[in-house]
Amino acid sequence: MNRSAYDRILLKVSGEVLAGDQSFGIEPQFLHSMADQIAEVAKAGVQIAIVIGAGNIFRGMAVAASGANRVTGDVMGMLGTVINSLALGDAIEQKGLRVKVYSNVPMPTVADTFTARDANQALNDGSVVICAGGTGSPFFTTDTAASLKAIELHCDVLLKGTKVDGVYSADPKTNPDAKRFETITHEEVISRDLRVMDTAAFALARDNGLPILVYALDDPEGLMGVLSGKTRSTRVG
Ligand code: UDP
């Protein structure tokens, strides 16, 4: 039987994962595949907090590039994470689990406002916790929000799924000489500018001793494979 090496995890889900083959929106097939993987891990007794991006809906930087106000664009991006969080929360509930969606952008009729105290309690009570709204501030990303929430919620590890099975010295899809790291320090990821997540996310993780597992999203063993050590991943930290 698969067993997780971790008791409490923070899973970062990028918006693009929910879009699947499409560039925009939410594809039910991919939404439910992610929810199935989360449910398998939760049913094995792992406490799960989730931070979702909004690349499938809106990115503030993309708007700013066409001359619009960056702060407004970022707020729109944060609202996009709320849409994704509600969709994933509902899909996880359909798998028979309890879910609490918290928002870092206060919107009381939609979700409870995030506090670490309430979210911690919900995790202890066995709910899957989804933290919507990123950090609640513009000029950040949901990768940074993922580091922040993982630290606030005392998670053992942050899981970051990517297109490849770990951290490489260069893009392995375009550079055949790219070397894969089994383990690497936060400092080295930052100094080599390896860009698996943004620098703020890694710096926060480094300063607070938060390990990060980078794994391939398309691995057939899914999340449980990563947590049980069956699937290849790079451990940062
Ligand atoms: N965003 C923000 N502050 C945050 C997190 C996100 O302003 O703390 C905005 C920002 O515009 C960002 C968008 O929300 O581009 C979507 O988040 P992200 O790009 O991290 O999504 P992902 O790439 O993970 O899908």
Side-chain angles (χ1 to χ4, degrees):
M1 187 188 134
N2 281 328
R3 279 196 101 106
S4 167
Y6 304 94
D7 297 326
R8 182 180 284 193
I9 65 165
L10 185 303
L11 174 67
K12 165 68 207 292
V13 178
S14 72
E16 282 156 355
V17 168
L18 303 186
D21 300 336
Q22 312 294 313
S23 57
F24 185 83
I26 299 172
E27 281 289 302
Q29 179 197 343
F30 292 92
L31 179 70
H32 282 281
S33 152
M34 185 46 72
D36 280 332
Q37 292 183 45
I38 292 164
E40 182 189 9
V41 171
K43 284 175 183 169
V46 180
Q47 295 180 350
I48 308 179
I50 302 169
V51 168
I52 313 180
N56 58 325
I57 298 175
F58 218 85
R59 283 208 176 95
M61 234 149 49
V63 192
S66 61
N69 183 300
R70 167 76 190 264
V71 174
T72 306
D74 280 342
V75 172
M76 292 166 78
M78 286 187 273
L79 295 180
T81 70
V82 178
I83 293 173
N84 284 336
S85 297
L86 294 174
L88 185 60
D90 185 68
I92 297 169
E93 260 171 7
Q94 286 180 40
K95 316 288 169 199
L97 290 156
R98 268 182 297 153
V99 177
K100 280 291 286 184
V101 179
Y102 293 98
S103 177
N104 287 281
V105 177
M107 45 177 83
T109 55
V110 173
D112 289 344
T113 302
F114 176 86
T115 68
R117 188 190 55 239
D118 288 351
N120 251 311
Q121 190 59 55
L123 286 167
N124 285 336
D125 293 345
S127 293
V128 173
V129 162
I130 304 184
C131 307
T135 62
S137 297
F139 298 100
F140 286 103
T141 65
T142 51
D143 281 348
T144 305
S147 275
L148 183 60
K149 298 301 148 193
I151 294 160
E152 282 184 271
L153 297 174
H154 310 290
C155 294
D156 303 321
V157 70
L158 188 164
L159 268 84
K160 164 81 180 176
T162 69
K163 293 193 170 100
V164 292
D165 58 355
V167 179
Y168 283 77
S169 57
D171 184 353
K173 302 234 181 224
T174 53
N175 186 340
D177 296 328
K179 171 180 172 291
R180 183 179 167 280
F181 298 97
E182 195 59 35
T183 59
I184 187 169
T185 62
H186 299 90
E187 197 51 56
E188 213 178 343
V189 170
I190 295 169
S191 63
R192 285 173 172 247
D193 200 16
L194 296 176
R195 291 175 190 253
V196 185
M197 301 201 298
D198 56 82
T199 307
F202 273 116
L204 203 54
R206 176 198 60 195
D207 294 351
N208 292 279
L210 171 71
I212 299 168
L213 289 182
V214 180
Y215 70 99
L217 281 165
D218 62 1
D219 190 283
E221 298 285 341
L223 266 185
M224 189 43 110
V226 185
L227 292 172
S228 63
K230 239 182 178 180
T231 297
R232 277 204 335 174
S233 63
T234 295
R235 186 184 165 96
V236 183

